[in-house]
Structure formats: C-alpha cells, structure tokens
C-alpha cells in the first residue's frame, strides 16, 4: 500500500498489534479499534475525517522508523538493573494469581501506599467473553484482575483516558513500546508513573477463547469466570478453568490450550523482538527453567529495568507485600528461551517477509550485530507454515472462508493430539510399572 499518510497501511499489511496508541493520540477521533472477520482487533481509519497529521504514525510500534532501544548491546534483553525471583506474601493473592502474584501484589501496594491513584488492568468481561481494560482504584478489583488472557486488548487507549490521574499500568511489550514513543514524541502527554511489563510470547485472536469454551461442552453460555491458567486446577502452571453462573465448573487440560495457540496467533507477533518488555520499569514472568522454584504455589521472575523499578521492588519487599531473592540474569533469559527460540523466530520471520516483499515492522539492518541460532530445516518449515497461515487467517474478509480455514486447522490439531497420545502411551505404561516396582 503506497499511501502512508495514516496508520491504515499498518493494518492492511497485517502488522497492527492492537495496542491502541494510534486511536488514543488521534486529535480528531478518526481511528477506531475494530474487530475483523477472524476476531483480531486492528486500527481502522475513517478517511473522511482524517486530517493526515501523521500523529498516529509517530506512536505505532510497527512503523519501521519508530524502533527504540537500538542503543542496547542486545535489544532482545534490554537494560537490566537487577533480577529477582519471588512471590506475593498475601496467600490469597498468590493463590489466585497466574504465577507468584508479584504483579497484583505490587499494584495493591502502590494503591495502598498512595503512590498511585489507581491501576490500568485487564479483566475478563462475561458479556463479550473477552478481556477488557479497566482503570481500578480499589484493591478488591485489582485482585479480581489477576492472571493473563493471551488475547488482544487496546491497553494504551485506556491509559490515555486517565491522564488526570497518577497510575500504574500492566502492559505487553508492544504496548510499552507505544508508551515510550508517546513519551518521546509527545512529552506533554501524561503517561503512567509505573510501567509493569509482562513477559509475552505472543497475542491471539479473541476467538481463541471461544474455541476453548467450545471444548468445555455445556459452558457456552452464562460464564461467570474464565481463567486461562488457574492454579486451583492442579497448581502452577495451571489448567484452564471455566465457571458458570449456576455454580458449575469445568477444568480443561492445559495441553488443549497449548495445542490451539498456533491457530489463533497474531501475525505481527511472529516479528516481535520484545518478549521481555524492555521499555517497562519492571518485567514479570513465569519461572521457566528455574527448577528449584517450580512449586505448585507459583513464583515469578522479576527484572528491574529502571532504578525506579528497583526501588519499588525493594520497598514492597521491605514492607512485607512481596518476598524476593536474587536470581541471575542468564537464568531468566535462558528459561524464557530468548536466545535459543525468540531470536531464531524473529530473524526467520523477517527474512521470510522480505523474501516475499511484504511490509515489515522493523529494518533488519538495525539487528545485524546480534547473533542468533539459525533454524534447522524442520524449524524453518514450521515457522514458514505459521507465517503463511497466520497471515492468511488475519487477512480473511469472508466469514465462510475463515470458518473453513479454522475448521480444517482444528481437525489437524485434534488429529495430531491423538497421534501424540498414542505415541506417549507406551512411555506412560512403562513409567507406571517402574514407579510401582520402586
């Protein structure tokens, strides 16, 4: 698309992250965050009212010239002040959280200590069956918002609605990138006092939630609660749990959630380098790879990226809101497979797009100094399949075509699950016999 006077070309090229930065900065409200046929949220411009001021282009994390953080030795890692592993001291927070409850505990601490007026968080909306962004100034509501939803929401849009307040915001990498661009390009705009970033391995269409609910059978209506990962269902890392208003509950094995991810992933996420949320004050994630802390109650790994972030962690620990101990930087990045998986995915995706002459969100020359593991033939094949499918599904304009592609994908996924179960059965039998003989 040749016309690059507004953000529409980003959406047309399947590169919208749905962060909401463009719609929130538009001075004439010409941009809305809409849902397409495939259930993805993307920016849509009303060209009848657009004044082509290009402000939207200045805050978009998918515009090539907007990349920030290139002065880091390794942009995939970002700045690191110090690293911790820990959990919320409040047992109730830790119990209902996704991992160790650090994010919820920090938000509650910030509100209780009056360091902020409120927090920008996501919570499941029972009417739309989608995550919805809220501003909350009550601890009880912040606690209700614990956990992640893995599907899109326009967080930056909500953040800029509350410039009259002192806030803390929970964001993904692309959303933090947009906030950083707003800070640089529009310094008069009030951004959150604290940016708490989540480790993110990619977003998904809202239809991802619908498919999981569908797998629950009789839970298609009247859902009162939906959790992608609930520790009440087997402890950390948790299975999916769905509850209905009549008191029924259903637990869906996490293997189903994991097997469905590739059918609903956002195409733009394959290009992402910012899994580790380098523009936040604090990055929080699961303790993958740190085996001695992989207990059922859950722990969180924490990276302080700014001195302000470090001070917050230390203050919260000192007052007893959280418990933390030091952990090495290398163990966190190894556990999150940044160097062994993410870089390979990023460079392979970028080269695939450039070979096909598709628009890319970054200039590959900005990353030439970074070493990465080249993909095996099998990895390259899988990534190419994901690239082609996610692009095709995201671009769907006909509902029947979309349903056909998804139905075919579900059949393949279910077939592969059956094959894996058959292959795993002998190992389970041998393991059972071995454990009985011990």
């Amino acid at each position: 698309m040749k016309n690059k006077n507004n953000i529409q070309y980003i959406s047309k090229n399947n590169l919208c992250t749905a962060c909401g930065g463009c719609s929130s900065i538009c001075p004439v409200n010409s941009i809305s965050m809409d849902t397409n046929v495939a259930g993805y949220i993307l920016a849509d411009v009303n060209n009848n009212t657009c004044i082509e001021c290009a402000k939207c282009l200045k805050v978009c994390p998918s515009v090539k010239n907007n990349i920030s953080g290139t002065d880091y030795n390794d942009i995939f890692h970002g700045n690191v002040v110090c690293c911790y592993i820990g959990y919320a001291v409040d047992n109730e927070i830790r119990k209902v959280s996704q991992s160790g409850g650090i994010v919820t505990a920090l938000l509650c601490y910030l509100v209780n200590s009056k360091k902020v007026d409120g927090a920008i968080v996501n919570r499941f909306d029972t009417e739309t069956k989608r995550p919805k962004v809220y501003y909350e100034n009550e601890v009880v509501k912040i606690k209700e918002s614990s956990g992640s939803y893995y599907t899109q929401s326009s967080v930056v849009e909500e953040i800029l609605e509350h410039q009259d307040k002192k806030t803390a915001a929970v964001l993904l990498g692309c959303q933090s990138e947009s906030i950083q661009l707003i800070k640089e390009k529009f310094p008069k705009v009030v951004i959150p006092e604290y940016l708490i970033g989540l480790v993110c391995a990619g977003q998904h269409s809202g239809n991802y939630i619908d498919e999981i609910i569908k797998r629950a059978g009789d839970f298609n209506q009247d859902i009162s609660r939906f959790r992608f990962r609930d520790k009440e269902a087997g402890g950390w890392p948790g299975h999916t749990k769905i509850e209905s208003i009549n008191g029924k509950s259903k637990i869906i094995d996490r293997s189903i959630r994991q097997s469905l991810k590739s059918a609903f992933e956002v195409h733009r996420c394959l290009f992402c380098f910012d899994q580790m949320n380098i523009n936040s004050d604090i990055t929080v994630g699961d303790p993958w790879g740190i085996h001695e802390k992989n207990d059922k109650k859950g722990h969180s790994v924490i990276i302080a990226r700014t001195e302000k972030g470090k001070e917050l962690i230390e203050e919260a620990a000192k007052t007893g809101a959280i418990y933390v101990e030091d952990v090495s930087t290398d163990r966190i990045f190894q556990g999150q497979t940044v160097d062994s998986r993410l870089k390979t995915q990023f460079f392979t995706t970028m080269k695939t797009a450039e070979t096909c002459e598709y628009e890319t969100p970054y200039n590959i020359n900005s990353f030439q100094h970074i070493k990465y593991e080249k993909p095996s033939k099998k990895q390259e094949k899988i990534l190419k399949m994901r690239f082609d499918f996610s692009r095709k599904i995201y671009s769907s304009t006909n509902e029947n075509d979309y349903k056909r592609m998804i139905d075919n994908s579900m059949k393949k996924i279910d077939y592969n699950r059956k094959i894996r179960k058959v292959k795993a059965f002998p190992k389970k039998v041998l393991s059972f016999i071995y454990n009985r003989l011990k």
Side-chain angles (χ1 to χ4, degrees):
M1 186 174 180
K2 293 182 180 180
N3 181 13
K4 296 185 178 181
N5 295 323
N6 61 44
I7 209 67
Q8 195 69 57
Y9 90 94
I10 293 294
S11 294
K12 290 291 184 182
N13 282 282
N14 313 303
L15 294 177
C16 182
T17 70
C19 68
C22 58
S23 59
S24 61
I25 208 71
C26 178
V28 292
N29 298 318
S30 289
I31 305 173
S32 57
M33 303 307 296
D34 297 337
T35 303
N36 69 6
V37 168
Y40 296 102
I41 301 173
L42 69 168
D44 186 44
V45 180
N46 182 342
N47 287 309
N48 293 323
T49 58
C50 175
I51 59 175
E52 297 189 350
C53 63
K55 287 185 176 181
C56 56
L57 296 174
K58 294 179 179 180
V59 302
C60 177
S62 291
V63 173
K64 280 185 179 180
N65 295 332
N66 285 349
I67 187 170
S68 60
T70 52
D71 53 336
Y72 297 137
N73 181 50
D74 191 331
I75 195 171
F76 289 83
H77 290 200
N79 185 58
V80 176
V81 176
C82 50
C83 296
Y84 311 89
I85 189 165
Y87 53 84
V89 172
D90 185 317
N91 287 328
E92 187 58 33
I93 291 178
R94 191 179 184 188
K95 181 180 177 181
V96 301
S97 70
Q98 179 169 301
S99 49
I102 289 292
V103 171
T104 302
L106 288 176
L107 293 178
C108 291
Y109 167 73
L110 287 169
V111 170
N112 284 332
S113 61
K114 301 190 184 304
K115 291 180 180 293
V116 299
D117 300 316
I120 307 297
V121 293
N122 264 286
R123 189 165 65 250
F124 185 74
D125 185 285
T126 55
E127 291 186 11
T128 63
K129 297 184 179 68
R130 298 289 184 272
K132 185 177 179 180
V133 192
Y134 294 88
Y135 165 80
E136 299 293 1
N137 57 11
E138 297 180 15
V139 165
V140 64
K141 290 293 185 181
I142 292 172
K143 289 180 179 180
E144 288 176 7
S145 305
S146 62
S148 297
Y149 290 100
Y150 301 100
T151 59
Q152 295 173 299
S153 63
S154 300
V155 173
V156 181
E157 196 173 43
E158 184 69 20
I159 286 173
L160 266 62
E161 287 289 323
H162 300 280
Q163 294 184 62
D164 59 328
K165 306 176 187 74
K166 199 173 183 179
T167 64
V170 183
L171 312 94
L172 303 180
C174 56
Q175 296 156 0
S176 296
E177 288 173 45
S178 182
I179 290 294
Q180 178 66 24
L181 290 166
I182 290 171
K183 180 181 177 181
E184 293 172 0
K185 306 292 177 62
F186 302 98
K188 291 184 179 180
V189 174
V190 179
I191 64 170
E193 186 71 16
Y194 294 94
L195 299 180
I196 300 179
L198 301 178
V199 174
C200 175
Q203 297 188 80
H204 302 80
S205 156
N207 293 355
Y208 183 26
I209 293 175
D210 294 340
E211 184 62 33
I212 293 175
I213 292 173
K214 181 180 176 182
R215 304 286 173 126
D218 57 351
F219 281 77
N220 290 328
Q221 303 295 328
D222 301 325
I223 292 174
S224 61
R225 190 168 179 262
F226 178 95
R227 295 293 300 273
F228 263 100
R229 289 169 50 188
D230 195 317
K231 287 190 296 193
E232 291 182 9
W236 184 86
H239 299 291
T240 300
K241 188 175 182 181
I242 306 173
E243 298 176 7
S244 66
I245 58 173
N246 61 10
K248 291 183 178 180
S249 64
K250 181 84 170 184
I251 294 172
I252 302 174
D253 192 273
R254 59 177 169 268
S255 64
I256 293 177
R257 169 179 62 83
Q258 291 165 344
S259 68
L260 296 174
K261 289 174 67 175
S262 61
F264 299 99
E265 65 184 336
V266 175
H267 182 68
R268 167 63 172 81
C269 294
L270 291 174
F271 292 91
C272 186
F273 70 86
D274 200 10
Q275 172 183 330
M276 301 305 293
N277 222 309
I278 66 171
N279 291 296
S280 58
D281 292 302
I282 297 167
T283 300
V284 183
D286 285 292
W288 302 118
I290 305 177
H291 304 295
E292 70 273 19
K293 300 297 182 181
N294 289 357
D295 64 64
K296 298 293 185 180
K297 291 182 179 180
H299 281 74
S300 302
V301 291
I302 314 150
I303 302 174
R305 297 201 172 278
T306 64
E307 288 297 331
K308 180 168 63 176
K310 179 184 177 183
E311 289 174 12
L312 171 58
I313 295 166
E314 291 178 345
E315 287 173 7
K318 189 175 181 180
T319 59
I322 62 174
Y323 169 81
V324 295
E325 56 187 85
D326 294 339
V327 67
S328 74
T329 305
D330 289 342
R331 293 195 74 186
I332 292 180
F333 287 115
Q334 286 170 7
Q336 298 295 338
T337 63
V338 174
D339 299 308
S340 60
R341 174 197 52 82
L342 179 63
K343 290 180 179 179
T344 301
Q345 175 179 296
F346 172 83
F347 284 103
T348 304
T349 300
M350 285 289 288
K351 288 180 179 179
T352 300
E354 292 190 335
T355 299
C356 298
E357 297 185 348
Y358 295 145
E359 188 75 28
T360 60
Y362 308 113
N363 188 327
I364 194 67
N365 292 329
S366 301
F367 299 82
Q368 291 296 339
H369 65 289
I370 296 175
K371 295 180 180 179
Y372 71 99
E373 295 180 12
K374 292 186 178 180
S376 65
K377 289 184 178 180
K378 183 178 179 180
Q379 287 176 315
E380 192 169 19
K381 182 180 179 181
I382 292 172
L383 283 169
K384 182 66 165 57
M385 288 172 63
R386 286 173 60 190
F387 181 93
D388 291 339
F389 180 81
S390 62
R391 185 178 179 86
K392 189 175 183 180
I393 206 94
Y394 189 99
S395 305
S396 300
T397 56
N398 182 286
E399 190 169 352
N400 290 329
D401 288 343
Y402 167 72
K403 288 181 178 179
R404 176 180 51 77
M405 285 189 285
I406 283 295
D407 287 344
N408 288 337
S409 180
M410 292 302 103
K411 289 176 183 177
K412 290 178 182 177
I413 286 170
D414 290 337
Y415 174 77
N416 289 332
R417 275 178 53 80
K418 289 178 181 178
I419 294 297
R420 284 195 293 270
K421 282 184 178 180
V422 171
K423 289 182 177 180
F425 183 72
K427 292 181 180 179
K428 288 183 178 179
V429 172
L430 290 172
S431 177
F432 173 77
I433 294 171
Y434 174 76
N435 288 329
R436 289 296 297 269
L437 291 173
K438 278 200 301 183

